Amino acid sequence: MSLSPAQLLRSRLVPPISAITAYDYPTARLSDEAGIQLILVGDSLGMVVAGNPDTTTVTLDHMVYHTEMVRRGVTNAVVVSDLPIHTYDDPDAALISASRLMAAGADAVKLEGGLGQIGKVKRLTLSGVPVCAHIGMLPQRVIEEGGYRKKGKLKEEADRLLEAACALEDAGAFAIVLESMVAEVAARITEAIEIPTIGIGAGTECDGQIRVLHDVIGGYPWFVPPFATVYGNVAEVTREAVASYVKDVGPQEVI
Ligand code: KIV
């Protein structure tokens, strides 16, 4: 029996799964060359690339443009693109939007939310579009939720997250991002489902980890999330290189 597109993608993800966001050709190519397993063209680009306070202004056209750039830079990693807010309000819209991201070069799409998204995940999966789910803190809902908050502290909320993860797996999701949730809840979910969990701010007991590229390389010094480990100093290197160039050009004439 041949594997479905979702099963094929899953077979390329070997725990512990390393995943990172990338938004353009050089960051995608460098990440791919460094051996990352999964590259997410995240709608976090609205923040770390475009300088907005959250992801809610990102459009499908933005995501198509950035997915094309990332695709050109990737040879090995699985490329997943985010469906931006209000581009998947119902199953038909989800399929139309996802088809544009797939045509731009994505191997799969990601959407945010739990039980409310089951119909859309089923529709996409049955149409041959692999779906990565995303539960816990949902950045696209940050305005209605009034800020970023760790999820799963109350038993009812933890149980709901577990129920959503199981339902998303049943609906056909090939993987699931667990964002900003109590580590024990993420561990429980990872234990309960077969598809890989990829955590961010969700403890170490997931099948993999995902981070925003700029947090890893030190490329966005104005805000660093508390759970981020910064491995590089791209901001400082950039400032120093540009300052050296400015110095080389010579003293500025004041007009
Ligand atoms: O857009 C993004 O970068 C994400 C990650 C935080 C998982 O969804």
Side-chain angles (χ1 to χ4, degrees):
M1 207 177 71
S2 61
L3 295 178
S4 70
Q7 287 168 325
L8 265 175
L9 275 196
R10 208 185 131 192
S11 71
R12 290 170 58 190
L13 300 176
V14 183
I17 298 160
S18 55
I20 201 160
T21 64
Y23 312 103
D24 57 22
Y25 177 85
T27 57
R29 185 165 173 180
L30 290 167
S31 301
D32 196 46
E33 287 174 0
I36 204 84
Q37 287 190 42
L38 184 151
I39 290 180
L40 172 69
V41 191
D43 61 359
S44 50
L45 65 85
M47 301 165 81
V48 296
V49 175
N52 290 308
D54 56 54
T55 64
T56 60
T57 51
V58 176
T59 66
L60 191 60
D61 284 344
H62 295 150
M63 294 306 299
V64 166
Y65 183 52
H66 286 273
T67 300
E68 286 168 348
M69 296 181 210
V70 166
R71 176 76 275 164
R72 281 192 284 274
V74 176
T75 310
N76 295 309
V78 171
V79 175
V80 180
S81 282
D82 263 335
L83 282 164
I85 189 167
H86 297 317
T87 66
Y88 56 102
D89 288 344
D90 60 62
D92 287 341
L95 187 53
I96 291 168
S97 304
S99 302
R100 284 198 61 201
L101 295 178
M102 299 294 282
D107 296 313
V109 301
K110 177 166 80 59
L111 51 74
E112 295 184 9
L115 295 177
Q117 310 297 26
I118 299 305
K120 298 165 201 170
V121 174
K122 278 189 184 154
R123 177 69 172 277
L124 291 172
T125 308
L126 288 174
S127 306
V129 178
V131 180
C132 178
H134 180 157
I135 60 171
M137 168 61 210
L138 306 177
Q140 292 176 4
R141 305 245 177 101
V142 67
I143 296 174
E144 53 207 269
E145 295 201 353
Y148 295 92
R149 181 175 69 78
K150 213 173 197 45
K151 296 297 170 82
K153 287 186 182 161
L154 300 174
K155 183 176 178 323
E156 299 75 54
E157 193 173 61
D159 290 347
R160 259 206 316 279
L161 287 167
L162 180 61
E163 187 190 355
C166 295
L168 287 160
E169 174 176 44
D170 288 346
F174 76 94
I176 181 162
V177 167
L178 307 180
E179 178 163 359
S180 193
M181 87 176 49
V182 172
E184 292 71 33
V185 178
R188 239 174 97 201
I189 292 173
T190 304
E191 183 70 28
I193 62 178
E194 294 287 316
I195 56 172
T197 58
I198 308 177
I200 174 164
T204 54
E205 302 298 307
C206 299
D207 296 307
Q209 296 290 328
I210 184 161
R211 294 292 181 270
V212 170
L213 173 89
H214 291 63
D215 297 341
V216 170
I217 66 174
Y220 196 88
W222 309 282
F223 174 73
V224 181
F227 53 79
T229 305
V230 183
Y231 296 85
N233 200 349
V234 165
E236 208 41 49
V237 169
T238 305
R239 274 198 198 110
E240 277 169 16
V242 176
S244 300
Y245 168 65
V246 170
K247 207 164 147 218
D248 240 17
V249 168
Q252 304 297 293
E253 215 179 281
V254 181
I255 302 169

